[in-house]
Amino acid sequence: FIPLLSATVPFVSGLTGYRFRQFFIYNLAGAIIWSLLWVFAGYGLGNIDWVANHLSITLILITVATLLPAVSAFVVKIIKHA
């Protein structure tokens, strides 16, 4: 999930003449898939005893895994420019 991307895609779609009906259908399908993915992931992970008993560790691991690609890209960019 990239907040900047999700905020600008509707404007770019409108400016490029993308049909509203098609955009709406894809946007709605994406929202439903995204929501169901996280609901079922939360339900599935919540039923694992270790995850339920160590929720803070689990959330830290998920956060690190989410931030890792951005941090690694930043480090690579710094190394290339050094």
Side-chain angles (χ1 to χ4, degrees):
F1 178 73
I2 303 171
L4 181 63
L5 184 64
S6 66
T8 57
V9 165
F11 296 110
V12 173
S13 297
L15 289 172
T16 59
Y18 203 76
R19 291 188 330 213
F20 177 75
R21 180 178 171 88
Q22 189 176 13
F23 172 77
F24 181 77
I25 290 170
Y26 287 146
N27 198 27
L28 182 64
I32 291 170
I33 292 168
W34 183 258
S35 299
L36 290 175
L37 174 83
W38 284 109
V39 167
F40 288 119
Y43 179 77
L45 289 173
N47 286 326
I48 299 172
D49 289 333
W50 188 90
V51 173
N53 294 333
H54 301 90
L55 185 60
S56 59
I57 294 172
T58 305
L59 292 176
I60 290 170
L61 290 174
I62 291 171
T63 303
V64 168
T66 303
L67 294 175
L68 196 58
V71 171
S72 64
F74 180 71
V75 170
V76 167
K77 184 176 181 179
I78 288 176
I79 291 172
K80 284 185 178 181
H81 288 292

